[in-house]
Structure formats: C-alpha cells, structure tokens
Amino acid sequence: DSGVTQTPKHLITATGQRVTLRCSPRSGDLSVYWYQQSLDQGLQFLIQYYNGEERAKGNILERFSAQQFPDLHSELNLSSLELGDSALYFCASSVDPGQGGAFFGQGTRLTVV
Amino acid sequence: AQSVTQLGSHVSVSEGALVLLRCNYSSSVPPYLFWYVQYPNQGLQLLLKYTSAATLVKGINGFEAEFKKSETSFHLTKPSAHMSDAAEYFCAVSAPNTGNQFYFGTGTSLTVIP
C-alpha cells in the first residue's frame, strides 16, 4: 500500500460527459502529480500541484483541469469526454524535494463508450 | 531538461537467468534516479532510488541498480529471474531545478520464460 488513495477505481461513462477523479496523497506529501497511461501513449505526465498551487503542466488537454485543495487532496476533471480519453489515470504524491520518489495510487480506469 | 531512455521495450529472460534492463538519462544537474515496477492492473511501485549517496543501490525483490555518471546510465539488474518478476519496468529521473517533476521512460516489459 503506497498510501495514495484514488477513487473511483473504475468509471464507465458516455462520450461528451464530464467526470471527476479524486486523489488523496500520502500523509505529509505536498506534491501531487497526475498521469495518464494508455496503450498507445504510454505514461504521460498531465499536471503537478504543490501545496495547492499549480507547479507544472505536461500534456494536459484543455478539456481537462485539476486542482489541489487546502487539505491537499486533488481532483482531476475531465470534460467533453471522447473515446480516446479511455485510459488509466494515476495520481502520485511526493515530499518536496522529490528525492524520495513519487508514490502512486492504484489508478482509476476510465472507459468512455 | 531531464529525460530518460529505456533501451528495449520488451525483454525476455529464462527463469534463473540474469535480468538486465537498461536506462540512460539526460540531466543538466545531478539527478535523482528511480526504477518503478508495474504489475498488470496496478499502480507503479518504487523499486529503488539513487539520490547521490552510494552509486550501487539495492532495492526490493533482489533488484539493484548502479549509477554510472560517465555513461549516464542507471541499469537495473537482478542475478536470477523469478516468474513473479514478469511486469513492466519504468526508469524515471527528477532534479531539483525542475520542481522535482518526474520524467518517466517508455517502459520495458519483462517476460520470464519457465
């Protein structure tokens, strides 16, 4: 158990819909990262938050947004969903600096039908 | 900027044979380096990390990796493969000057042949 909790584990939704993925980081970790993993794209970095502030953006679509709340949990919002958004979405957390590594949750498997 | 390159997207070894998964990094500053393992339908689990202490790093499940600055490499090895080692392995790099973002390689799928 990494200590990072992601909900829900599975999500099936229709194209055009909006979903919210939730992540609770390890106790004490201020940084939260979101990654998308698909068969054709591999592990793609989406966005990083540190103590409530956006720190870095990766390959995140404009239809996607995220935030980190004062209690440090984070949410990833995906809207106007397309079939190609079907993937595993991982949240990871780390202390800062990140020399201890990032710890990953079990992921949310999103299926868009 | 930081990046990692994993040579070989698929590696097959016989049970009991040496496992060698290659990772080369690029970093403008002394990096932190990591190996992660991902079993099917699971998240990534940290195997080991290099953070500028000993260059030979021992991790879980009998894996180790050696940091070689002259070769900009951080290859992962295990003397004797076990069936349970079959998984996807990711090398990652981070550095203080990039806000500690973690840059992952494309992964190497390890198959262990009985």
Side-chain angles (χ1 to χ4, degrees):
Chain A
D1 182 7
S2 67
V4 178
T5 303
Q6 288 187 249
T7 56
K9 286 186 168 45
H10 301 277
L11 201 47
I12 302 175
T13 190
T15 54
Q17 295 299 303
R18 172 189 171 94
V19 297
T20 297
L21 312 184
R22 183 187 169 100
C23 170
S24 295
R26 291 190 319 158
S27 176
D29 285 356
L30 298 179
S31 277
V32 169
Y33 311 79
W34 285 97
Y35 290 87
Q36 178 194 60
Q37 187 179 40
S38 60
L39 282 175
D40 55 343
Q41 296 281 341
L43 193 63
Q44 297 283 318
F45 167 67
L46 296 178
I47 197 164
Q48 177 195 3
Y49 279 83
Y50 174 73
N51 201 22
E53 299 288 327
E54 181 185 303
R55 175 171 267 186
K57 258 186 176 179
N59 301 320
I60 188 166
L61 300 172
E62 285 191 10
R63 299 184 285 110
F64 296 179
S65 64
Q67 55 184 330
Q68 185 179 28
F69 295 87
D71 67 352
L72 300 178
H73 91 271
S74 178
E75 293 181 355
L76 178 67
N77 300 295
L78 314 176
S79 61
S80 302
L81 285 167
E82 302 174 358
L83 296 177
D85 297 327
S86 296
L88 261 173
Y89 290 85
F90 286 109
C91 168
S93 72
S94 74
V95 298
D96 195 71
Q99 64 187 46
F103 293 85
F104 281 74
Q106 293 294 297
T108 294
R109 181 171 292 282
L110 173 66
T111 302
V112 182
V113 297
Chain B
Q2 281 70 39
S3 67
V4 290
T5 302
Q6 291 184 242
L7 298 175
S9 57
H10 298 276
V11 170
S12 293
V13 299
S14 298
E15 190 175 15
L18 172 72
V19 176
L20 170 60
L21 304 182
R22 300 179 187 273
C23 172
N24 287 89
Y25 70 90
S26 171
S27 177
S28 55
V29 298
Y32 305 138
L33 293 161
F34 311 89
W35 275 100
Y36 286 83
V37 60
Q38 184 181 28
Y39 299 102
N41 299 312
Q42 293 191 25
L44 279 70
Q45 180 184 1
L46 183 63
L47 264 182
L48 50 79
K49 61 187 179 187
Y50 166 77
T51 57
S52 75
T55 56
L56 182 61
V57 181
K58 294 188 185 300
I60 61 172
N61 301 337
F63 284 94
E64 62 182 36
E66 186 172 8
F67 172 72
K68 291 187 177 180
K69 184 178 179 181
S70 61
E71 300 177 7
T72 61
S73 68
F74 191 58
H75 302 331
L76 182 71
T77 60
K78 182 174 180 178
S80 177
H82 193 271
M83 295 299 293
S84 61
D85 295 327
E88 188 87 13
Y89 291 81
F90 293 90
C91 182
V93 63
S94 76
N97 68 338
T98 60
N100 296 308
Q101 292 179 56
F102 293 90
Y103 296 88
F104 284 84
T106 51
T108 297
S109 177
L110 176 66
T111 300
V112 182
I113 303 166

